[in-house]
């Protein structure tokens, strides 16, 4: 099936995509329209994507930047990590 990029034609910076079973999940940097952080999209084929929502609510405090999520599948759950920057100091976050 031919297709043209972008395959997801919306704001989705620093994408991270993981295949879990026969499905694909994408995660991105930043705040989302629902007020959460780290956007999530889902696809059965890497071409047709649905926006799911955000991975988490912002953590307490003034943290203006949520960057570069990475996600792994463990035996029973999905685990992610990312960088959060406040006052110019990057911090590592597991969610």
């Amino acid at each position: 099936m031919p297709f043209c990029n972008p395959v997801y034609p919306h704001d989705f910076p620093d994408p991270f995509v993981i295949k879990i079973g026969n499905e694909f999940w994408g995660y991105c940097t930043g705040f989302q329209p629902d007020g959460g952080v780290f956007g999530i999209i889902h696809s059965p084929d890497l071409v047709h994507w649905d926006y799911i929502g955000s991975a988490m609510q912002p953590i307490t405090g003034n943290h203006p930047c949520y960057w570069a999520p990475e996600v792994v599948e463990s035996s029973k759950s999905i685990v992610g990590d990312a960088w959060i920057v406040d006052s110019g100091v990057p911090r590592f976050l597991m969610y």
Side-chain angles (χ1 to χ4, degrees), residues 13-77:
D14 302 326
F16 179 87
V17 176
I18 185 171
K19 183 178 182 183
I20 299 175
N22 291 323
E23 303 175 323
F24 299 90
W25 295 87
Y27 299 84
C28 75
T29 288
F31 286 90
Q32 300 302 300
D34 63 6
V37 294
F38 303 119
I40 303 171
I41 56 177
H42 174 260
S43 174
D45 57 11
L46 289 176
V47 176
H48 302 95
W49 291 93
D50 292 312
Y51 179 75
I52 302 300
S54 55
M56 60 180 272
Q57 291 300 307
I59 59 175
T60 304
N62 184 22
H63 306 284
C65 300
Y66 290 80
W67 290 341
E70 293 186 26
V71 177
V72 296
E73 180 182 15
S74 73
S75 61
K76 298 282 183 188
S77 62

